[in-house]
Amino acid sequence: MSKSKGNVINPDDVIAEYGADTLRLYEMSMADFSDVAPWNTKAIVGSYRLLDKIYRFFTTDSTALEYQSWTAKDNLSAIKTMHKTIRKVGEDIENMKFNTAIAAINIMVNGGIPTDPEDAHEWKSALIRLLQPFAPHMAEECWSLLGNENSIYSTEWPEYISAMTIDDEVQIAIQI
């Protein structure tokens, strides 16, 4: 991109259309921090959709049909995915691998939310604290929607349980 060629993306335009959190999330998910990545204005929609779905987790009634379509197959798999994601995102942030951290958050979201209300609250709390470094404005809003009066910035990073990060079954592909 070059200003002289007139093909520069103005961040103010992107923020006006999608929001600052979406821009930040997209930039961090494009590629490894040390790699060069081409800007694709059409691809920013994926980051917008992820944040929109996460926001709807906090604003949609749990009895609604849409919310029911987001539930996990079973609570244990959702909680295990949560613990794996906490570990992965923590390690990736330390190693400045923001793109894979965001991919792990996306896997957690797509894996589904637990149906048990207590597990769902824990899952949402962990999710929003994992998302906070990437989308701080939305994280603060969702944190308050969970009923917290203090700021998300005054909370601890979620802890994972090592035993919950181990898979009970592993699929191995064998070619014959």
Side-chain angles (χ1 to χ4, degrees), residues 134-173:
F134 308 108
H137 301 102
M138 191 181 93
E140 187 70 38
E141 174 70 19
C142 291
W143 188 250
S144 68
L145 289 171
L146 272 180
N148 297 298
E149 292 181 11
N150 59 337
S151 174
I152 193 169
Y153 298 104
S154 63
T155 63
E156 297 289 325
W157 187 255
E159 302 252 343
Y160 67 90
I161 300 170
S162 296
M164 295 295 276
T165 63
I166 300 169
D167 290 323
D168 296 331
E169 296 179 12
V170 177
Q171 269 190 332
I172 301 174

Side-chain angles (χ1 to χ4, degrees), residues 32-54:
D32 190 275
F33 189 69
S34 60
D35 293 340
V36 175
W39 181 269
N40 183 353
T41 305
K42 294 178 183 174
I44 199 167
V45 174
S47 295
Y48 179 78
R49 287 182 184 148
L50 174 62
L51 291 178
D52 181 56
K53 184 175 184 180
I54 291 170

Side-chain angles (χ1 to χ4, degrees), residues 2-175:
S2 167
K3 189 174 178 182
S4 64
K5 293 181 181 179
N7 59 357
V8 176
I9 305 299
N10 185 351
D12 291 336
D13 296 340
V14 176
I15 291 170
E17 187 171 351
Y18 297 106
D21 282 343
T22 302
L23 175 64
R24 185 181 294 108
L25 188 75
Y26 175 67
E27 285 182 333
M28 290 186 185
S29 67
M30 287 171 55
D32 190 275
F33 189 69
S34 60
D35 293 340
V36 175
W39 181 269
N40 183 353
T41 305
K42 294 178 183 174
I44 199 167
V45 174
S47 295
Y48 179 78
R49 287 182 184 148
L50 174 62
L51 291 178
D52 181 56
K53 184 175 184 180
I54 291 170
Y55 188 73
R56 287 185 291 146
F57 279 144
F58 294 87
T59 58
T60 305
D61 182 23
S62 62
T63 59
L65 187 60
E66 180 183 35
Y67 189 92
Q68 296 301 317
S69 69
W70 301 327
T71 56
K73 293 176 185 170
D74 66 286
N75 287 343
L76 182 61
S77 69
I79 295 299
K80 280 189 163 201
T81 301
M82 177 191 74
H83 287 284
K84 290 177 189 176
T85 305
I86 292 169
R87 182 183 70 189
K88 174 86 172 127
V89 172
E91 291 170 356
D92 286 350
I93 287 175
E94 286 180 16
N95 297 318
M96 295 183 70
K97 303 283 186 189
F98 305 126
N99 59 326
T100 56
I102 293 167
I105 291 170
N106 200 6
I107 290 169
M108 180 179 165
V109 168
N110 289 334
I113 189 168
T115 54
D116 179 63
E118 288 181 23
D119 288 342
H121 188 272
E122 177 187 3
W123 188 92
K124 287 179 183 179
S125 175
L127 171 65
I128 209 61
R129 288 183 284 164
L130 294 174
L131 188 66
Q132 185 270 329
F134 308 108
H137 301 102
M138 191 181 93
E140 187 70 38
E141 174 70 19
C142 291
W143 188 250
S144 68
L145 289 171
L146 272 180
N148 297 298
E149 292 181 11
N150 59 337
S151 174
I152 193 169
Y153 298 104
S154 63
T155 63
E156 297 289 325
W157 187 255
E159 302 252 343
Y160 67 90
I161 300 170
S162 296
M164 295 295 276
T165 63
I166 300 169
D167 290 323
D168 296 331
E169 296 179 12
V170 177
Q171 269 190 332
I172 301 174
I174 301 174
Q175 183 178 1

